[in-house]
Amino acid sequence: MQRRHLIKGAAASGAVLGFPTILKAQNQYRAEYKMSTVVPPAFAWGKGGEIFGNLVRERTNGRINIKQYPGASLVQGQQDREFSAMRQGIIDVLCGAPINWTSTVRELGVCTLPFLFPDHKAWDAVMASEVMTKDYFDVVRKAGAEPLAIGETGFRQISNSKRPIIKPEDLNGLKIRVVGSPMYGEIMSGMGANPTFMSWADAQPALASGAVDAQENPLEVFLAARIHTLGQKFVTKWNYSNDMLLFAIANPIWQSWTPQDQKIVREAAQDAAKQQVQLVRKLFDEDVQRVSALGVQVHVPTAAETNEWQIKTRRTYARWKAQINAPMISKMEEIIAKSRKA
Ligand code: X2X
């Protein structure tokens, strides 16, 4: 009788003082939260992750310690496994390009359709819209992570070791490394190239040895990774695809944090994303000059040439639009069309 009383009493006083909830929340905080980035902080993308981790650590007085693992090392460099590893609890924090996660959740690839975004103005209009902050974020939530902020991986450009690429025929027979997205593979084969799927870790030795002739990446990546030293002599700045850089937290981790900490983390991600986008844009403005200065021949397509690329990829675009999420992509197209007129 007495014992039962004591237990009851303890529970009651705990509830009044709010101990159980506080203790529960504190117990669930870990010493370290693991963040995966494909590239390190020497790249704008990896820098975005670093800024995010630092802001969170500062603003939570070290309560939340996000540690960055570049080179997608938590998944042994296999960046296409990041999202499933996040679901398995191997990765807690994502700061990455959803293109790498499309084999896990195809819908995450909506931003990467060929020649979808004509410029940054259109890209910004879409990213600020509810198609992204509501519809797309809902997809991310259902897939297992809390989306916090949108950065930019950057417009992807093609480089190769053989010849200038001016028109679609110039791609004929080129062996090109693409990330593990079947859509990127189809874009390239649709233009006559011969795509092979490879992680970023494998791409560099493959370029160096000549096992592949070509690759596609933002020029800030080309510069930071010194891809010109791997025999890549020709670049075409054709802006064919520009993925977001998504900052997100695995659902169970997100739920283990107090609402106050969730707010701090979300704002930190948004501030980091803002800085990261500024960095990418600055590099984008300088890249033709900087890549040319390395002795690389850079071609910037005319509007007519871009139109030709677009026509050449139209069929792949339509096929993937239908497979990924046609209603969401139609909404994006409307926003882009409006931004063109504005
Ligand atoms: O592997 C690539 O090409 C990279 C770094 O751009 C991505 O992870 C999409």
Side-chain angles (χ1 to χ4, degrees), residues 216-263:
E216 51 71 56
N217 248 302
L219 290 183
E220 80 97 352
V221 171
F222 186 97
L223 285 162
R226 302 176 52 77
I227 292 184
H228 69 289
T229 64
L230 309 177
Q232 296 289 287
K233 300 192 199 100
F234 306 96
V235 162
T236 300
K237 190 174 177 178
W238 62 353
N239 295 341
Y240 92 107
S241 181
N242 188 354
D243 206 358
M244 66 166 71
L245 181 70
L246 183 68
F247 294 73
I249 311 286
N251 275 340
I253 301 296
W254 180 250
Q255 279 148 18
S256 74
W257 292 340
T258 62
Q260 293 88 328
D261 280 339
Q262 287 178 348
K263 184 165 180 280

Side-chain angles (χ1 to χ4, degrees), residues 45-244:
W45 165 347
K47 191 78 192 164
E50 184 184 69
I51 295 169
F52 176 42
N54 287 342
L55 288 178
V56 169
R57 204 170 300 111
E58 276 163 36
R59 295 178 184 178
T60 61
N61 296 318
R63 268 194 311 285
I64 297 178
N65 173 33
I66 294 177
K67 182 163 181 222
Q68 184 169 11
Y69 289 82
S73 62
L74 296 167
V75 283
Q76 293 73 47
Q78 292 171 275
Q79 66 222 50
D80 58 339
R81 288 192 42 228
E82 272 183 334
F83 206 85
S84 56
M86 182 277 298
R87 284 171 162 177
Q88 290 161 5
I90 296 163
I91 290 170
D92 306 313
V93 179
L94 293 167
C95 173
I99 189 69
N100 284 322
W101 311 328
T102 51
S103 54
T104 315
V105 183
R106 186 179 284 176
E107 274 179 289
L108 295 177
V110 287
C111 300
T112 54
L113 283 166
F115 300 100
L116 169 64
F117 297 110
D119 49 32
H120 279 124
K121 191 170 158 230
W123 194 91
D124 285 340
V126 170
M127 295 305 152
S129 76
E130 286 198 345
V131 187
M132 289 295 126
T133 59
K134 222 179 138 287
D135 302 357
Y136 187 84
F137 276 15
D138 278 348
V139 172
V140 176
R141 278 190 194 104
K142 281 194 197 109
E146 178 61 25
L148 304 179
I150 295 175
E152 178 184 346
T153 56
F155 277 109
R156 300 181 78 88
Q157 322 297 3
I158 189 166
S159 77
N160 85 102
S161 58
K162 301 280 189 215
R163 55 183 173 261
I165 297 176
I166 316 287
K167 4 175 229 328
E169 300 85 270
D170 298 328
L171 275 168
N172 262 339
L174 275 186
K175 228 174 164 194
I176 181 164
R177 174 269 170 177
V178 289
V179 287
S181 145
M183 188 191 66
Y184 275 179
E186 250 183 71
I187 294 171
M188 295 305 165
S189 53
M191 292 192 285
N194 184 2
T196 49
F197 299 105
M198 237 176 250
S199 70
W200 173 239
D202 292 339
Q204 295 164 86
L207 289 165
S209 71
V212 295
D213 311 311
Q215 64 88 42
E216 51 71 56
N217 248 302
L219 290 183
E220 80 97 352
V221 171
F222 186 97
L223 285 162
R226 302 176 52 77
I227 292 184
H228 69 289
T229 64
L230 309 177
Q232 296 289 287
K233 300 192 199 100
F234 306 96
V235 162
T236 300
K237 190 174 177 178
W238 62 353
N239 295 341
Y240 92 107
S241 181
N242 188 354
D243 206 358
M244 66 166 71

